Structures are given as structure tokens and as C-alpha cells.
Amino acid sequence: MRSREAILAQAVGLASVEGLEGLSLGKLATATGTSKSGFFAHWRDKEQLQLDAIEWAVRQWTEQVVAPALRAPAGVRRLFALHESRLRFYRQGVLPGRCFFFTVQTEFDDRPGPVRDRVAQAMGDWQTFIRRLVAEAKARGELLDGVDDAQLAYEVDALGERVISHIRLYDGPVVLVHARRAVLQRLRALCPDPTLLPED
Amino acid sequence: MRSREAILAQAVGLASVEGLEGLSLGKLATATGTSKSGFFAHWRDKEQLQLDAIEWAVRQWTEQVVAPALRAPAGVRRLFALHESRLRFYRQGVLPGRCFFFTVQTEFDDRPGPVRDRVAQAMGDWQTFIRRLVAEAKARGELLDGVDDAQLAYEVDALGERVISHIRLYDGPVVLVHARRAVLQRLRALCPDPTLLPED
DNA sequence: TACATTAACGACCGATCGTTTGTATATATG
DNA sequence: CATATATACAAACGATCGGTCGTTAATGTA
């Protein structure tokens, strides 16, 4: 059998394009070279496979987006590094649909059940993480005291997320420049020390 | 028969939640009180109904979001009015899924065909429209000359669009405050005349 | 060799999908 | 009144879906 991990990797890739529900077991079977019924030896039903795929995607996001940002010095530089790390993940096309969570969250946000709950928790964790980086930067005096944590976290997230739709519907790379500069200029306007961030 | 318009209105509402493909003819039939096969007297196939639904949604968006903004004075005030008009559309819950185009564009952005082409064109028109308002504001000296039209248009759009996911996955109204303040602060920072925009 | 266990499979099930077909009804026209 | 046309319908079709079942092949153990 193809290893469980390889199947999940395929599932996350396909789901980043078609969604977790649009991903049919038949397509996943032929894509991984196995049979449809072979899945049920590893997963109770489709929902369990969806939940495991989410877990796999969370791990991938943590390793490839969050971890690199944590190697930057704490403060506003780390916050901007997180934004750039995310844009790099999109630019490199790690997933064929660019972002698993973007596709899945719009698919399940009004479909109650365990899958939606898990997605909501993952997105909440992400938002909380950005907010914590903002708070850290503020505590180090690298952002003006008046900054609202949740407010700035929303802006950073929004300016990064919209990249997906643009990159898929229009051309591509130019929107990455816009997304990068938007956050950079915003942070520079709030940061007392202009040497901490690149000029452009 | 229920009028063609009423069916399209229902279709747009349902598609704002489930998507245009997830919207099944059977559900649409029972939701409108007609029979499944009755549709084929009005629409050749499902794709034609999808295209007409898009047309209906474009008209709704033009009337309820674009038109009110055009009643504001040209320049930076009109640009901000467009943002607020969009947020009002979301806050009032005109559509059960909040935004038809958000759902549909993530559904079709990598599924080639006439539906995708029409969606891409509508989104392109929207982006072009925002860019034109930015250019107008600049021409009137209400925005700094250094402002890049496409750059600022991207920011305004991104900060408005992310509202949808947040409002559906977490609580609700607070994200509308974030979205409004994000654009307001950004525009105030670029506008030489501080009296043109509200303080908060 | 004999036997238990496991992984993977082909075949099939009921449900739902978009679509086609034939038909009943209502309206308009001569 | 007779007839033609438009409108909506129920019923059924083939395809595809998630899921079940019984079987086969491989492996480990005695």
C-alpha cells in the first residue's frame, strides 16, 4: 500500500483545489494508485479522512510558515517575517490550490459538524498567534502603544489572505508585491525604529 | 410558475452559502415550490442557470453597493463610502451566505469554463472600479501623489473581503469594526485634508 | 505444514445528481 | 368550438457518489 502519509499529502493537495467535500474517494484512489475500498481499512469514513487531512495541513502550515518566522528576532521583525513566510508559501506553490485552509474554510463555514469545528479552531489559533506577535512587538516598544492587537492582526491576515483569489483568477506575482508592501508600509508607520524593517 | 426573477433570487441566496455547483436543482426546486424538470423550460442546462444567477448577483451588487457609494461626493469620500457600503451589505445580511462572489470565486477559480470566465470578469471589473475611485481621489488632490492605484485598491478590497470568513466562523460584528477602521486609518494617513473623513 | 491475522481488492448497494422524455393543463388563436 | 402553443409536471435514465461485503493474497506463528 501507499503509505498513509502519502495518501494524506495527496488529499490535502487535492482539497486545496476542489475542497474537502468535492474531493471524491474515487479520484483520491486513482490519484494514489489504490482502490476506493482500500481506504476503509485506514479510515472509518470520509469524515475521519477529512479530519486527518486537516491535521496534516495544520502540521504542514506550522512547519513551513510558522516555524521559519520564529527564527526571526522577536518583535516587529518576527511579525513581518510571518507575513513574508506566508507569501513565500503561496509563491512557491507548495499546494496546487495555493492554500488548503482558504478553500476549506469557505467550504465549511456554514456546514455544522466536527469538520467545521476543527477548521474554526485552526483559524482561531492562527488569528491568536498573529495577535500574540503584535503584543510582543508592542511590549518591546517596537510598535506604538496605541495599536490594538486584534485590529492589527486582522489587517495583517486580511492583506495576506486576499492573495489567493487574485493569484488564481488573474495573473499572479504582482499581487504578491502588493500584499508585501501593504503590510510593510503599515508596520513602518507604526514602528518607532525605522531601521528594524526594510525600506521597500 | 414562480417568476423567473424570484427563482434567480433564491438561487443567488442559496449559492452564497453552498456555492453554484453545490446548489442542486432538486433543492432549488423545493425551495421555490416548483419541480426539478420545470427548470428546463427556462434554462437550457445548469450552466446557463449559473450564468444567469451571476448576472443577477452582479446587478444586485451594483444596485446595493456601488450605486449608494456614487451618491457620495467624488474623491476620497466616495472611496470610503464604497467600503462602508460594502460593509453595510454584509452587516444587513442581505444574502444568507453574506457574499455571493466570495463563495463562487473560491469555488470556480480553478475550474475552467464559461462560469469561471464570467466570475473572473466580474471580479476584474470590481477591482478596476476601486482603482478608478483611487485615481479620481488622487486627481483631486485628496490622496498623496505617491499612492499606487493598484496597490491601494488591493488593500481596500482585501480589508473588506476578509470580513466574510470571520463573520461566518467566529462571532460577528467586531470584525466589521476592524475592517472599517483599517481602511479609514489608511485613507486618513494618505489624505492631506483631515476634514474629509471621519475621525473614527 | 496448518492456521490466524491483516491489508487490499472487485463487486455491488442505495441515494442523489443533472438531464431527457412523454404528457397533462392552461391559454391564445382560428 | 376546435386547434395550436406554451408551460409545468411526474417518471425515469445513466452517471457518480459514499459506503458495505465477501474474497484473495501475503505474512507471522505454532
Side-chain angles (χ1 to χ4, degrees), chain B residues 11-141:
Chain B
V12 169
L14 285 178
S16 75
V17 177
E18 312 260 10
L20 270 177
E21 202 67 29
L23 164 68
S24 90
L25 294 185
K27 289 177 189 169
L28 184 54
T30 58
T32 56
T34 61
S35 77
K36 211 170 50 162
S37 50
F39 284 119
F40 295 90
H42 301 278
W43 293 278
R44 184 166 13 97
D45 53 15
K46 187 180 185 180
E47 185 178 280
Q48 190 57 53
L49 185 136
Q50 291 173 330
L51 289 171
D52 286 357
I54 294 174
E55 231 54 46
W56 195 95
V58 166
R59 208 167 352 113
Q60 180 190 47
W61 186 259
T62 303
E63 289 170 3
Q64 302 209 27
V65 176
V66 175
L70 289 179
R71 286 196 282 275
V76 72
R77 284 171 293 185
R78 180 172 290 174
L79 178 58
F80 185 59
L82 182 71
H83 183 60
E84 284 200 297
S85 182
R86 169 194 211 160
L87 295 183
R88 178 173 12 91
F89 187 83
Y90 295 159
R91 183 176 348 104
Q92 292 178 343
V94 181
L95 295 175
R98 279 351 202 277
C99 188
F100 171 86
F101 289 102
F102 176 69
T103 304
V104 167
Q105 96 186 26
T106 73
E107 189 185 12
F108 277 90
D109 52 15
D110 26 33
R111 192 179 313 200
V115 176
R116 185 212 128 104
D117 295 344
R118 184 65 187 89
V119 170
Q121 191 213 321
M123 302 314 295
D125 290 348
W126 167 248
Q127 201 71 19
T128 301
F129 178 66
I130 305 178
R131 212 165 349 192
R132 203 174 71 213
L133 293 196
V134 171
E136 276 180 24
K138 243 171 47 183
R140 289 170 179 264

Side-chain angles (χ1 to χ4, degrees), chain A residues 27-123:
Chain A
K27 289 177 189 169
L28 184 54
T30 57
T32 56
T34 61
S35 77
K36 210 172 51 163
S37 50
F39 284 118
F40 295 92
H42 302 277
W43 293 280
R44 182 164 17 93
D45 52 16
K46 187 180 184 180
E47 184 177 282
Q48 190 57 53
L49 185 135
Q50 290 173 329
L51 290 171
D52 286 357
I54 294 174
E55 233 53 48
W56 196 94
V58 166
R59 207 167 352 114
Q60 181 190 46
W61 187 260
T62 303
E63 289 170 3
Q64 302 210 25
V65 176
V66 174
L70 289 179
R71 286 197 282 274
V76 72
R77 284 170 293 185
R78 179 172 292 174
L79 178 57
F80 186 59
L82 182 69
H83 184 61
E84 284 201 297
S85 181
R86 168 194 211 160
L87 296 183
R88 177 173 12 91
F89 187 83
Y90 295 158
R91 184 176 346 104
Q92 292 178 343
V94 180
L95 294 175
R98 274 2 198 275
C99 188
F100 171 85
F101 290 102
F102 176 69
T103 304
V104 167
Q105 96 185 24
T106 73
E107 190 184 10
F108 277 90
D109 51 15
D110 27 33
R111 195 179 310 201
V115 175
R116 185 211 129 105
D117 295 345
R118 185 64 188 89
V119 170
Q121 191 213 322
M123 301 314 294

Side-chain angles (χ1 to χ4, degrees), chain A residues 2-19:
Chain A
R2 302 284 291 256
S3 86
R4 214 186 97 103
E5 288 295 306
I7 291 180
L8 284 178
Q10 264 284 345
V12 169
L14 285 178
S16 75
V17 177
E18 312 260 10

Side-chain angles (χ1 to χ4, degrees), chain A residues 111-192:
Chain A
R111 195 179 310 201
V115 175
R116 185 211 129 105
D117 295 345
R118 185 64 188 89
V119 170
Q121 191 213 322
M123 301 314 294
D125 290 348
W126 167 248
Q127 201 71 18
T128 301
F129 178 67
I130 304 177
R131 213 164 350 192
R132 204 174 70 215
L133 293 196
V134 172
E136 276 180 23
K138 242 169 50 182
R140 289 171 180 264
E142 294 180 6
L143 285 177
L144 301 182
D145 273 343
V147 172
D148 179 309
D149 296 358
Q151 171 77 40
L152 186 55
Y154 170 79
E155 297 177 22
V156 171
D157 181 42
L159 293 169
E161 181 94 42
R162 194 74 173 109
V163 162
I164 303 297
S165 304
H166 278 240
I167 221 171
R168 296 205 279 210
L169 270 181
Y170 322 125
D171 46 15
V174 61
V175 68
L176 289 164
V177 177
H178 291 155
R180 182 179 180 277
R181 284 211 307 179
V183 171
L184 180 55
Q185 290 178 7
R186 179 74 175 131
L187 292 183
R188 281 184 71 88
L190 297 173
C191 180

Side-chain angles (χ1 to χ4, degrees), chain B residues 155-172:
Chain B
E155 297 177 20
V156 171
D157 180 43
L159 293 169
E161 181 94 44
R162 195 74 172 108
V163 163
I164 303 297
S165 303
H166 277 240
I167 221 172
R168 297 206 279 210
L169 270 181
Y170 321 125
D171 46 17

